[in-house]
Amino acid sequence: MTNRWRNRIGMLLVSTPFLMLSATGCLAAKPTAAEPGDEIQIEPEAMTALNEMGNYLRTLKSFTVSSEMSMDEVLLSGQKILLTGTTEYSTRLPDRLRVSSKVEGLDRDNEYYYDGKSFTIYSNLDKYYATFEAPDTIGKLLDIAEDRYDVEIPLRDLFYWGTEKDRGEDVQAAYFIDTSRINGTPCKHYAFRQEDVDWQIWIEDDDTPLPLRLVITSKLEIGAPQYISTMTWNVAPQLTDSTFVFTPPEGAHKIEFAVIDDPEEESTQQ
Amino acid sequence: MKTRSLFFRVNTIAIASIFLIATCAIPLEARTTEGRTRTSVHQKNRANINTRDVQRNRDINRNTNVNRNVNVNKNVNVNVKGDRRYYDGRHYYDYNRHHHHHNDVGRAWAIGALTGLMVGTIIASSSMSPSCGTVYVNGYPYRQCGSTWYQPQYVGSQVNYVVVNPPR
């Protein structure tokens, strides 16, 4: 063991009573201080890379993405459980989206259809589907799905980067980390900090700057759970209209969404 | 991905807020926990926010979030009373969370009925017995298990069953 580590452990032991004290008070509530050397800064190169990726994404008229994901779930006890799954996206801008999402450990095997007019969720396990009338773009759809129906489609960022919904100004720190490979493809690895999340992205290092991996740390949540997605892209898929249209399979039943109803809220929205 | 009850989130936020306000002046959002792992960098509810002034936006966002919580609290007060939670080892479920179609009737029924599950009880779809048959009533596919009727509904991306009064 090096002296450096001995020192660190020594400091930890000395500081234990203070840590215990602070755990009961508000010191524990304060965001963790940055490590020495982690100067808060925004490297222009990192923001440029993000913008170039967004601009490239917006040149795509149609694409499919296969996302291998893993996600921490924090139990009330504080224990973390790793959920894994696959999400397949097929999309044709601006108003067609099809998502298949399987999450192991969560009994989740869902299909989502957006055909430009309506949005349908279908569970392969429960054989139920529910529909709502949808707006005219994927971006608006994803907002409504989440805000009104609590249906969260992962990786909404893919449809926000490079658009007016891009929240690049939320970034408080941005760094280039290194070059590395994702499934053999050379990538540039960047790290960003926001008020609510820290995130990292691996962007393909060539003339098709696609995001190949995204890691999001929810740092305001207890346990700071992470979501990790590794993506495989096809930017020239053959997708027909029927891809996006839901046809109820045999034995499927139509049910409703449990929208949290508030008469005042509904009247102001209408 | 994971659906948790709004009540739980609101409760967490409320308790955290009280704690913070009472003990130390740290910005509210530093301790608000939704109990949810984010799967997008972009926060929700930012669509309508003016993008011209970054610092101002941050303030506005904060207000938006707080307002939203207040709204949700109102929902909870109106629609959900006497919540309790149970834990099946992995997922949390609510007792007594009345479905909005059955609010008052449900509560009255629950007081009177001592047999079977209380109206308003919610169970996860994984807890539904396959032996409970589907019965269509007015076009809605209920599940019937003896004298207990369940109404399936999507709560976010998850199917839940709510115990309801016999619909016929």
Side-chain angles (χ1 to χ4, degrees):
Chain A
M1 197 189 290
T2 64
N3 278 334
R4 198 168 152 212
W5 277 104
R6 277 203 194 100
N7 286 342
R8 283 186 184 177
I9 291 167
M11 280 174 70
L12 197 65
L13 289 174
V14 168
S15 62
T16 301
F18 298 102
L19 286 173
M20 287 168 72
L21 266 179
S22 69
T24 60
C26 50
L27 283 175
K30 286 183 180 165
T32 322
E35 295 269 312
D38 278 1
E39 285 174 38
I40 296 204
Q41 57 170 310
I42 293 182
E43 292 178 3
E45 165 196 0
M47 296 310 290
T48 304
L50 199 56
N51 289 333
E52 284 175 354
M53 178 192 75
N55 292 339
Y56 175 68
L57 284 174
R58 295 292 73 86
T59 66
L60 304 176
K61 299 294 170 231
S62 183
F63 59 83
T64 63
V65 183
S66 175
S67 157
E68 293 289 329
M69 77 98 189
S70 63
M71 182 169 74
D72 290 325
E73 183 187 41
V74 184
L75 305 184
L76 281 194
S77 62
Q79 186 181 12
K80 279 190 206 174
I81 304 297
L82 188 72
L83 308 176
T84 57
T86 315
T87 310
E88 309 276 349
Y89 301 77
S90 300
T91 184
R92 199 170 71 200
L93 277 301
D95 61 356
R96 296 285 193 282
L97 177 66
R98 164 79 184 274
V99 179
S100 300
S101 183
K102 288 186 179 65
V103 186
E104 282 137 44
L106 204 60
D107 294 327
R108 185 71 57 81
D109 183 354
N110 287 348
E111 310 285 341
Y112 304 87
Y113 297 81
Y114 168 51
D115 61 7
K117 293 185 179 66
S118 61
F119 175 86
T120 304
I121 180 174
Y122 175 70
S123 162
N124 288 311
L125 300 175
D126 299 304
K127 312 288 182 200
Y128 289 118
Y129 65 98
T131 298
F132 63 81
E133 206 173 303
D136 58 359
T137 66
I138 295 174
K140 289 183 206 166
L141 166 79
L142 296 176
D143 286 345
I144 287 178
E146 177 141 357
D147 294 344
R148 271 207 96 159
Y149 297 94
D150 206 22
V151 173
E152 183 183 357
I153 308 279
L155 291 177
R156 278 178 300 137
D157 301 322
L158 298 179
F159 304 96
Y160 289 173
W161 279 317
T163 74
E164 77 284 354
K165 289 179 185 294
D166 197 332
R167 296 285 304 174
E169 61 266 40
D170 283 350
V171 171
Q172 294 173 334
Y175 321 91
F176 170 64
I177 303 292
D178 201 358
T179 53
S180 53
R181 285 173 184 273
I182 305 284
N183 295 328
T185 306
C187 290
K188 285 189 165 178
H189 175 189
Y190 299 92
F192 300 86
R193 309 204 79 178
Q194 293 177 194
E195 204 170 290
D196 47 351
V197 289
D198 287 345
W199 55 286
Q200 304 167 65
I201 195 165
W202 283 253
I203 302 175
E204 196 171 326
D205 187 17
D206 53 28
D207 54 357
T208 59
L210 290 164
L212 297 190
R213 178 171 290 158
L214 180 67
V215 174
I216 303 173
T217 308
S218 303
K219 61 185 176 180
L220 301 187
E221 301 293 334
I222 291 163
Q226 280 197 326
Y227 167 82
I228 303 172
S229 161
T230 304
M231 291 163 259
T232 308
W233 289 77
N234 178 359
V235 295
Q238 296 296 315
L239 300 172
T240 60
D241 281 352
S242 61
T243 306
F244 308 99
V245 177
F246 176 68
T247 310
E250 202 176 327
H253 303 291
K254 185 171 192 286
I255 62 171
E256 298 295 329
F257 281 103
V259 180
I260 302 295
D261 62 333
D262 178 348
E264 286 179 45
E265 194 178 66
E266 272 174 22
S267 60
T268 52
Q269 278 176 0
Q270 281 160 6
Chain B
M1 299 292 294
K2 177 115 170 76
T3 302
R4 295 196 192 273
S5 84
L6 277 172
F7 176 81
F8 174 56
R9 276 188 263 152
V10 169
N11 210 11
T12 312
I13 290 163
I15 290 166
S17 309
I18 291 163
F19 173 77
L20 280 169
I21 292 162
T23 57
C24 44
I26 289 170
L28 206 97
E29 69 270 35
R31 279 286 285 186
T32 54
T33 57
E34 291 196 339
R36 196 184 265 222
T37 307
R38 287 266 295 274
T39 60
S40 294
V41 169
H42 289 82
Q43 273 195 359
K44 57 181 174 180
N45 270 337
R46 295 207 156 185
N48 300 322
I49 287 154
N50 191 327
T51 53
R52 272 174 291 184
D53 183 338
V54 175
Q55 195 51 52
R56 192 160 165 270
N57 277 343
R58 294 236 165 80
D59 294 338
I60 292 169
N61 286 338
R62 199 170 297 147
N63 294 339
T64 306
N65 289 337
V66 171
N67 283 338
R68 186 152 188 280
N69 294 341
V70 171
N71 287 337
V72 174
N73 261 323
K74 199 190 319 168
N75 291 339
V76 170
N77 290 337
V78 170
N79 295 322
V80 187
K81 286 182 181 168
D83 276 39
R84 263 176 291 143
R85 308 184 61 75
Y86 72 93
Y87 183 55
D88 72 358
R90 175 70 55 85
H91 304 291
Y92 292 88
Y93 304 114
D94 287 330
Y95 273 124
N96 242 7
R97 180 162 181 182
H98 299 277
H99 183 250
H100 57 277
H101 291 155
H102 302 272
N103 255 357
D104 300 324
V105 185
R107 209 165 293 130
W109 178 264
I111 292 163
L114 290 172
T115 54
L117 284 168
M118 287 214 302
V119 168
T121 302
I122 294 179
I123 68 165
S125 66
S126 54
S127 308
M128 171 58 66
S129 164
S131 62
C132 302
T134 297
V135 182
Y136 271 89
V137 179
N138 297 327
Y140 206 93
Y142 291 84
R143 296 286 289 271
Q144 187 185 8
C145 313
S147 61
T148 306
W149 290 74
Y150 295 89
Q151 186 181 48
Q153 54 183 232
Y154 271 99
V155 179
S157 294
Q158 182 177 306
V159 173
N160 283 349
Y161 288 92
V162 186
V163 177
V164 294
N165 292 311
R168 62 173 192 197

